[in-house]
């Protein structure tokens, strides 16, 4: 179809205050990333952040020489910061963002730019590098949150893709794949009659029987 899965993209299990849990789904096996080869079983009531990234190029983006502006605190690292500015920035991060990612725009940028350096040097925060595909190529990214229920998989967050707005000169011809794509993600809920309605119906039937018996006796 003229596109490739972007290498290095991982879909993580979500837990309370944790956005990168132990269980990881790799979009594509990466020889350089051991996490992409680990096999595991899904369990009921687990939650996953699903990332799907496709490229019209090779699907092997390179780190772009641009300073990182999005970071996440490393909850396992500790260090006694020396600079006052660094301590102020780290205190702000712990108070406002805890274990979640944050952008420098959400802080006082002048102070943050100065104070974040010591945090990066001593690995108190992890940066999200800017990746770039080759010039002229197109990258598409779809992200959503999925909850694994006994009744099926439920999408609980993420924008819907309006397929009517997408035009493509490619067409799926394999009937087996078409059948899979047409399958509903969630199981259809069985219709349950209201308990009160059932009780009323039963009482009405009983009353009708009594009336029929009375008519026969007369």
């Amino acid at each position: 179809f003229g596109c490739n899965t972007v290498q290095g993209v991982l879909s993580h299990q979500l837990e309370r205050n944790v956005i990168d849990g132990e269980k990881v789904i790799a979009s594509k096996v990466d020889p350089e990333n051991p996490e992409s080869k680990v096999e595991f079983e899904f369990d009921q009531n687990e939650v996953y952040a699903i990332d799907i990234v496709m490229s019209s190029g090779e699907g092997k983006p390179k780190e772009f020489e641009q300073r990182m502006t999005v970071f996440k605190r490393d909850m396992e690292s500790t260090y006694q910061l020396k600079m006052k500015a660094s301590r102020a920035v780290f205190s702000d991060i712990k108070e406002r963002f805890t274990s979640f990612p944050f952008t420098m725009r959400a802080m006082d940028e002048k102070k943050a730019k100065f104070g974040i350096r010591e945090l990066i040097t001593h690995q108190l925060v992890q940066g999200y590098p800017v990746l770039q595909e080759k010039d002229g190529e197109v990258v598409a990214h779809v992200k959503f949150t999925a909850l694994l229920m006994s009744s099926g998989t439920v999408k609980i967050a993420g924008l819907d893709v309006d397929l009517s707005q997408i035009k493509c000169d490619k067409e799926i011809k394999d009937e087996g794949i078409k059948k899979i794509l047409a399958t509903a993600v969630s199981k259809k809920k069985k219709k349950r009659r209201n308990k009160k309605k059932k009780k009323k119906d039963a009482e009405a039937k009983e009353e009708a029987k009594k009336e029929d018996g009375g008519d026969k006796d007369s």
Side-chain angles (χ1 to χ4, degrees):
F1 294 101
C3 61
N4 288 295
T5 305
V6 173
Q7 189 169 294
V9 177
L10 303 174
S11 297
H12 288 271
Q13 179 188 6
L14 303 180
E15 299 174 5
R16 183 177 175 81
N17 295 327
V18 178
I19 63 169
D20 48 3
E22 291 184 7
K23 294 184 178 181
V24 175
I25 306 167
S27 298
K28 186 177 184 179
V29 175
D30 184 354
E32 298 179 2
N33 188 351
E35 280 188 298
S36 69
K37 302 176 185 178
V38 177
E39 295 184 359
F40 65 90
E41 291 185 2
F42 292 108
D43 292 321
Q44 189 175 314
N45 298 327
E46 287 182 335
V47 183
Y48 289 84
I50 305 299
D51 274 290
I52 302 171
V53 188
M54 305 296 292
S55 170
S56 60
E58 294 181 3
K60 297 179 180 179
K62 306 295 182 184
E63 277 197 35
F64 188 47
E65 292 182 2
Q66 182 175 334
R67 70 180 183 86
M68 292 180 286
T69 58
V70 179
F71 298 88
K72 181 173 74 75
R73 181 184 167 198
D74 189 331
M75 303 298 288
E76 296 181 0
S77 295
T78 57
Y79 178 76
Q80 189 64 43
L81 295 165
K82 304 292 189 293
M83 297 171 57
K84 183 179 179 181
S86 302
R87 292 196 297 271
V89 170
F90 193 47
S91 177
D92 189 24
I93 292 170
K94 288 190 291 184
E95 183 179 341
R96 295 172 56 204
F97 309 111
T98 61
S99 60
F100 297 101
F102 61 90
T103 174
M104 298 286 283
R105 293 194 304 273
M107 309 175 74
D108 183 328
E109 287 199 63
K110 289 184 179 179
K111 292 180 180 178
K113 284 178 184 177
F114 185 66
I116 200 78
R117 294 174 188 171
E118 190 178 7
L119 274 65
I120 295 171
T121 301
H122 298 286
Q123 300 177 344
L124 292 180
V125 294
Q126 299 173 350
Y128 288 80
V130 179
L131 302 178
Q132 184 181 38
E133 183 60 283
K134 291 180 180 178
D135 290 341
E137 302 297 352
V138 178
V139 177
H141 185 189
V142 176
K143 188 183 185 78
F144 60 93
T145 304
L147 173 60
L148 309 186
M149 303 287 287
S150 58
S151 57
T153 303
V154 181
K155 178 182 172 184
I156 57 176
L159 297 175
D160 293 325
V161 179
D162 187 357
L163 297 178
S164 65
Q165 300 297 318
I166 300 173
K167 294 181 180 179
C168 183
D169 58 355
K170 309 292 183 183
E171 183 183 355
I172 297 173
K173 296 180 179 180
D174 188 300
E175 293 300 324
I177 295 176
K178 284 184 178 181
K179 189 175 180 181
I180 292 171
L181 292 174
T183 304
V185 176
S186 300
K187 294 179 182 177
K188 290 184 178 180
K189 292 183 178 179
K190 294 180 180 179
K191 292 182 179 179
R192 295 181 179 179
R193 296 183 66 189
N194 191 289
K195 288 183 178 180
K196 289 184 179 179
K197 191 174 183 303
K198 279 186 176 181
K199 189 177 180 180
K200 281 185 178 181
D201 290 346
E203 289 174 352
K205 285 181 180 179
E206 190 65 32
E207 191 65 32
K209 284 181 181 179
K210 288 180 180 179
E211 288 179 2
D212 289 343
D215 292 340
K216 286 178 182 179
D217 292 340
S218 60

